[in-house]
Amino acid sequence: MSQREWIEKDFYKELGVSSDASADDIKKAYRKLARDLHPDANPGDTKAEERFKAVSEANAVLSDPAKKKEYDEARRLFASGGFGPGAGYSTGGGGFAGGGFDLGDLFGGGAAGGDGGLGDIFGGLFNRSGGRSASSTRPRRGSDVETETTLDFREAAQGVTVPLRLTSPSACTTCHGSGAKPGTSPRVCPRCNGTGVVSRNQGAFGFSEPCDDCRGTGSIIDEPCSDCHGNGVTNRTRTITVRVPSGVSDGQKIRLAGQGEAGLRGAPSGDLYVTVHVRPDKVFGRNGDDLTLVVPVSYGELVLGTTLSVPTLDGRVGVKVPAGTADGRILRVRGRGVPKRGGGAGDLLVTVKVAVPQKLDDPAIEALRTYLEAEKASGFDPRAGWAGA
Ligand SMILES: [Zn+2]
Ligand SMILES: [Zn+2]
């Protein structure tokens, strides 16, 4: 139904009330008519059904103060000639370009495929084929695909390019996804003019529903591609190379836009979600962007201080251990951890842990005894100030 027809429709007359009827009068009139005309009360009576729809439509507008105001305003302007056919008024486009007022709003969308709005009132009632959402009127986007991959610790930390084998429907290589036999091409569906939806006039109001001729795709294939039978999609195994960014952690899911299943007949592809598993490393651990590392040291090294050579993701680094460092202390090396997405890197956290010798030769034992005497003489008591003493 065009907007002109819509404006010319008299919703007041439909409900049998005057144009200055009160909200209460409108409600009463609608209730009575709805009861009398309800399909349950008139099985098989298509005339009553038509009337019921018309009445419901009228009520949907007149019972809503905002919609009623716009409707009244539009009718008033239309009657006064403000919206003649040449006055910026268009059908199907949703809106009066020149009027500063959009009738499409009344129906919650454009004229062809308004989502929600009045259509929904009837959709449930008459078991109309639902799916009036925008997606049903366009070729369908491909599905998302999920897969997983296992990376080494260092690969995950630094980022890596890995091949992934995927078996999934993808755009048919024979017809390049069009679904039409090579040398031919799909033609625009004449019934819906390629929009994928058709309007049906029902009493005062037009309904949009998916076009049956083209199953809502908007195009018709006369000679289908023999490899994909017109779907534009074939099942195939493909290997894609995926760049996994640095810093992914175990169990993380990364999204690769457009790498999922191909859409039907050239519609956009879905996304690929890759769940990443990370093998533990023999040396490093992770704490967010920080890399952790435990370095065995001797007691003497902690007492006297030393410089340790420790591995990093891309080489080695010297870590200064100050004299008198306690066992278990964590030394921080800034910027030598896991690379961050936006640049920079986390820190390398080095834990020093005393390794106690299990076996020493006699001279070492003798020297240690001498040392302990000297330590005592210098006033060191390991349990001084200990609460358990
Ligand atoms: Zn094909
Ligand atoms: Zn069609």
Side-chain angles (χ1 to χ4, degrees), residues 170-182 224-234:
S170 355
C172 173
T173 49
T174 308
C175 63
H176 302 289
S178 77
K181 192 173 157 188
C225 165
S226 55
D227 284 359
C228 64
H229 310 291
N231 287 327
V233 167
T234 48

Side-chain angles (χ1 to χ4, degrees), residues 38-115:
H38 196 279
D40 288 352
N42 304 275
D45 185 345
T46 52
K47 240 180 168 155
E49 186 183 315
E50 300 290 293
R51 278 281 290 139
F52 181 76
K53 286 174 192 166
V55 163
S56 303
E57 176 202 342
N59 179 64
V61 172
L62 298 185
S63 66
D64 182 321
K67 285 179 184 169
K68 180 176 187 294
K69 193 164 169 258
E70 284 189 10
Y71 173 70
D72 289 342
E73 183 72 31
R75 274 169 59 85
R76 195 179 60 73
L77 288 168
F78 190 76
S80 71
F83 288 108
Y89 152 111
S90 70
T91 55
F96 292 77
F101 163 84
D102 187 356
L103 263 189
D105 289 349
L106 288 169
F107 294 127
D115 296 343

